[in-house]
Amino acid sequence: MKSFFGVLLVALLVYTLYVDNKSSPNAISRDQFEQVSANQSYDQLIDIEEGEVSDSSEPADHFPGPNVGDKAIDFKLSDLSGKAVTLSQFKGKKVIINFWATWCPPCKEEMPVMEEFYKNNRENIEVLAINIDPQYNVEEYKESMGLTFPILLDKDDKINKAYDILTVPTTYVINEQGIITHKQIGAITSLEAFNALVK
């Protein structure tokens, strides 16, 4: 008998909620919703997991932050030895800026490829790897990976925020005039892909 009244009570509660929603002045029908949706556009922030390549067909230059054709934001950061490095000091030379973190598996996969690219092209192209988690042992990471390109520490998270980085790794290619010519979200895992970026 108790179970019967329990079921009856739940049924009444569901019916009451249904009637309230149907009579609500704020409720709209499916047709009305579709009509409203058709007349409005929404800016969507695509949630990309760390190191994952977006499934979106939108090119990277539609994501937040500086994009292709924009002037690259200048910065001043310290390298692992404490030496100050600015982006503007490389004006007249192509520069690759790579945002990365020690905990990021795709970054780790990308590093040896970027190192090989750097060794082959260091006379003509500078690589600046901006680390966004300097609270960890970046020096040890560099040594274990055998990296020779400059690693800069974004200790205050200012450059990461200025470039509006959503995921790591993110890579920018900047031409001799300081203009962004390519933006890559996600790991670059082949030397051919790196070479294609700077052509």
Side-chain angles (χ1 to χ4, degrees), residues 116-169:
E116 186 179 356
F117 174 84
Y118 179 67
K119 284 181 176 176
N120 295 341
N121 298 280
R122 66 190 336 167
E123 297 301 318
N124 304 313
I125 301 166
E126 189 58 67
V127 172
L128 301 175
I130 299 177
N131 174 263
I132 65 168
D133 64 343
Q135 68 272 26
Y136 297 110
N137 195 334
V138 181
E139 180 71 52
E140 185 180 299
Y141 185 97
K142 177 185 177 180
E143 288 174 9
S144 69
M145 296 289 288
L147 307 176
T148 60
F149 49 77
I151 292 179
L152 310 180
L153 304 175
D154 191 10
K155 292 180 180 177
D156 299 323
D157 207 31
K158 286 182 181 175
I159 310 309
N160 182 39
K161 286 178 181 173
Y163 276 80
D164 210 352
I165 300 302
L166 296 178
T167 188
V168 288

Side-chain angles (χ1 to χ4, degrees), residues 8-9 12 24 42 52 61 80-81 86 114 120-121 178 184:
L8 184 60
L9 185 61
L12 285 171
S24 170
Y42 297 93
E52 212 174 53
D61 59 358
L80 291 174
S81 66
T86 63
M114 192 157 59
N120 295 341
N121 298 280
Q184 170 75 34

Side-chain angles (χ1 to χ4, degrees), residues 4 6 50 63 66 80 82 94 100-101 111 116 119 136 148 158 166 169 181-182 196:
F4 171 75
E50 300 303 337
F63 285 91
L80 291 174
K94 281 186 181 177
W100 69 283
M111 286 294 178
E116 186 179 356
K119 284 181 176 176
Y136 297 110
T148 60
K158 286 182 181 175
L166 296 178
T181 59
H182 191 88

